[in-house]
Amino acid sequence: MSLIPKKGTVYVVDDDEAVRDSLQWLLEGKDYRVRCFESAEAFLSRYDSREVACLIADIRMGGMTGMELQDRLVERQSPLPIVFITGHGDVPMAVDSMKKGALDFIQKPFNEDQLVNLVERMLDRAKDSFATHQQAASRDALLSKLTSREGQVLERIVAGRLNKQIADDLGISIKTVEAHRANIMEKLNANTVADLLKIALGQTPAKV
């Protein structure tokens, strides 16, 4: 058996040490990498958004609650899939968390097979959502290279405006528009106008 888990990382956030130990034992036995935290604050201080992973969190904890943790991750635009562990009286809270994007919730005491199936689903979701997140981050990094004026020109290129129309819109010469277009193409690593439009619209240009 490989010493390196192959199936992905599962974060566990729960202030109950027995629950953390139980989940770690169960999931490591299924070849997952498990990282446990006793509080939401501790998790947030160590969480690496570049890692493909999923999160299992208790909905009620001392300090920051699971719901508050979810709100923080939403604010950060994190693609991390979440499943909440709930006590008997927490189902309405769990339903509310799903409306905010949580993938599911499980009640204590939880069924091990159900939990493992949920983790499988979450990591499948994570692979897709993290790829989309990385693509968006790469796009934002490229677009941030543009000056304000180049951004204005790009908006009009995307809208289908011709060089003369863009020049009239912005009160600049056609030659200046052409220079801006050339700079935009270079900064966005676009070889064609089609590539440029795909980048601007959040799509991935085909590799040659």
Side-chain angles (χ1 to χ4, degrees), residues 13 46 69 80 83 110 135 146 164 205:
V13 181
R46 301 285 299 278
L69 171 58
L80 189 69
V83 160
F110 47 82
Q135 182 179 322
L146 303 182
K164 183 178 186 308

Side-chain angles (χ1 to χ4, degrees), residues 54-74:
C54 63
L55 170 63
I56 299 172
D58 193 359
I59 209 161
R60 284 187 188 271
M61 293 184 284
M64 187 186 299
T65 67
M67 296 281 286
E68 290 168 339
L69 171 58
Q70 182 184 26
D71 289 341
R72 294 287 184 90
L73 291 171
V74 170

